[in-house]
């Protein structure tokens, strides 16, 4: 490939350049993988110094070969290798191989999801995938949804759409046109004290501020205490506040704990509220043998599903599903240059009307390809391995007097600690990092804890046994 080739075309020379770029990249990646370690162990100062030395915008371009060799030598060795069985700190998964191939299609065609004429097949596939996802999670024909950049954007989109609909119904006020009503400070969102921070962020972005987010207490299993919740909401309601949304977290980020969606639905109905299920993490369990653990998500008015967590698709891939598709009208606007109403009347679907984004990736293709390739049984095996490994690890450390593990896992995360104090746990994690083993750290009841987030489908009981020994050492 040389500097004269710019974009793909029907000409053999451009096709050859494309092939050469893709194949040489794949070879460089494969050559860089020489061990099972998740990380080279380099310290941040040394890595920064090396990266600072790299040239960025030379007077004359370096050409492909030079750049690829430099990337191979200076960058790839210090990339975090998500597929390593020694990587388990976050809800950050390795990517299924076929979904990496799907990324090649996505970026090669560079479709954009905003209007039909920027992605005809892409639009129709996203519509189909959304429809099937709605049915998988139990929504009927009124259900709809949209792909987003991640759980944060899915959550914030739900907040906006549900706030607008609530205010329209309660006060007959059009937020989209007029902005917030005078008494907007009465609006309240209720979510677990250990829920994801995107609700605080969203509340800020919506002009309601952090103070509008009421943090609900959790029980000994880290699930929302529903009795206390009802009291809190009832009191706020009777004091003239506007409680409009309860969030059920289906898989909290640290513990994977699952709020009781049935009870929260009852409370939401009593006070005329929306119920959102933040299932960014736990949604994957719908394809597992442990499906009943997450409850009936169709009871929620909206569901956040992240495909870049348990479903093992490359970042980014998330969807917001809604029970009543019309609430997504919150994002509908028409522009003469993009999504003309007359075209939509003639059957051209412009998905920009459902999204906060304008230009948007064709992430739905990854879901289409992986779901179809693996089927329900293939995915069940992946989900069952993750959840089963967490059960196994929890049992093993409970039998071992060196450890404590306060909460039995429901999904694939286990929070635990070595006995002997915070420093011992912190040092253990740092030491492992320098050896290429990356595990998580968090705080529980004021105590430093370690965390395994077990998403990797190739992880075995033997790996887990070895890790336990390594941590003890
Ligand atoms: C990961 C996560 C999010 C945020 O999702 P992103 O894809 O990282 O934006 C939100 N809620 C929960 C429960 C999560 O685990």
């Amino acid at each position: 490939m040389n500097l004269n080739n710019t974009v793909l075309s029907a000409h053999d020379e451009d096709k050859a350049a494309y092939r050469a770029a893709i194949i040489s990249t794949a070879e460089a990646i494969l050559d860089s993988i020489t061990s099972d370690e998740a990380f080279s162990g380099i310290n941040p100062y040394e890595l920064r110094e090396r990266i600072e030395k790299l040239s960025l915008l030379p007077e004359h371009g370096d050409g492909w070969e030079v750049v690829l060799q430099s990337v191979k030598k200076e960058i790839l060795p210090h990339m975090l290798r998500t597929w390593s069985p020694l990587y388990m700190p976050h809800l950050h998964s390795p990517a299924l191989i076929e979904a990496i191939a799907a990324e090649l299609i996505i970026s090669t065609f560079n479709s954009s999801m905003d209007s039909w004429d920027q992605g005809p097949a892409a639009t129709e596939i996203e519509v189909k995938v959304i429809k099937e996802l709605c049915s998988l999670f139990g929504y009927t024909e009124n259900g709809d949804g949209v792909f987003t950049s991640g759980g944060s954007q899915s959550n914030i989109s739900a907040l906006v759409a549900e706030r607008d609909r609530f205010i329209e119904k309660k006060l007959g006020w059009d937020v989209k046109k007029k902005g917030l009503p005078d008494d907007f400070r009465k609006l309240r969102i209720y979510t677990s004290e250990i829920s994801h921070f995107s609700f605080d962020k969203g509340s800020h972005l919506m002009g309601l501020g952090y103070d509008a987010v009421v943090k609900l207490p959790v029980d000994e299993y880290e699930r929302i205490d529903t009795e206390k919740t009802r009291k809190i909401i009832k009191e706020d309601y009777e004091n003239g506040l506007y409680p409009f949304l309860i969030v059920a977290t289906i898989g909290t980020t640290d513990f994977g704990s699952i709020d009781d969606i049935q009870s929260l639905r009852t409370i939401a109905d009593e006070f005329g509220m929306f119920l959102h299920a933040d299932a960014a993490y736990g949604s994957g369990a719908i394809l597992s043998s442990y499906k009943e653990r997450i409850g009936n998500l169709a009871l929620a008015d909206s569901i956040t599903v992240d495909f870049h967590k348990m479903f093992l698709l490359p970042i980014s891939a998330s969807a917001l599903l809604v029970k009543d598709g019309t609430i997504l009208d919150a994002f509908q606007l028409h522009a003469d240059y993009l999504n003309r109403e007359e075209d939509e009347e003639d059957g051209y679907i412009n998905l920009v009307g459902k999204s906060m984004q304008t230009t948007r990736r064709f992430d739905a293709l990854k879901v289409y390809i992986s779901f179809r390739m693996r089927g329900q049984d293939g995915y069940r095996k992946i989900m069952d391995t993750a959840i089963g490994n967490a059960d196994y690890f929890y049992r093993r450390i409970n039998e071992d007097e060196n450890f404590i593990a306060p909460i039995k896992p429901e999904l694939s995360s286990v929070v635990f600690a070595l006995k002997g104090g915070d420093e011992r746990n912190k040092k253990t994690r740092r030491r492992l990092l320098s050896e290429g083993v990356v595990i998580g750290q968090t705080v529980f009841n004021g105590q430093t804890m370690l965390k395994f987030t077990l998403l990797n489908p190739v992880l075995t009981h033997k790996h887990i046994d070895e890790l336990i020994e390594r941590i003890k050492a």
Side-chain angles (χ1 to χ4, degrees), residues 236-307:
D236 284 353
Y237 185 83
E238 285 169 356
N239 285 332
L241 296 177
Y242 301 157
F244 78 93
L245 175 68
I246 305 178
V247 176
T249 305
I250 307 301
T252 55
T253 308
D254 271 344
F255 299 93
S257 51
I258 295 165
D259 292 332
D260 175 1
I261 198 147
Q262 179 78 57
S263 304
L264 294 174
R265 177 76 265 173
T266 307
I267 299 169
D269 286 344
E270 185 177 350
F271 299 101
M273 302 167 74
F274 281 97
L275 175 65
H276 174 67
D278 179 5
Y281 178 11
S283 47
I286 194 119
L287 296 179
S288 76
S289 312
Y290 307 90
K291 183 178 165 183
E292 74 290 348
R293 290 190 186 177
I294 58 174
N296 178 9
L297 299 195
L299 291 174
D301 298 293
S302 49
I303 309 170
T304 288
V305 182
D306 261 7
F307 295 99

Side-chain angles (χ1 to χ4, degrees), residues 381-421:
K381 224 158 107 190
I382 286 170
M383 303 302 176
D384 285 2
T385 299
I387 297 172
N389 275 335
D391 280 341
Y392 176 75
F393 177 64
Y394 178 77
R395 263 191 287 126
R396 278 297 322 275
I397 54 175
N398 257 310
E399 294 160 6
D400 191 321
E401 57 183 17
N402 293 284
F403 295 100
I404 53 160
I407 310 249
K408 189 172 186 307
E410 299 249 43
L411 294 171
S412 61
S413 306
V414 187
V415 173
F416 66 101
L418 275 161
K419 288 182 188 161

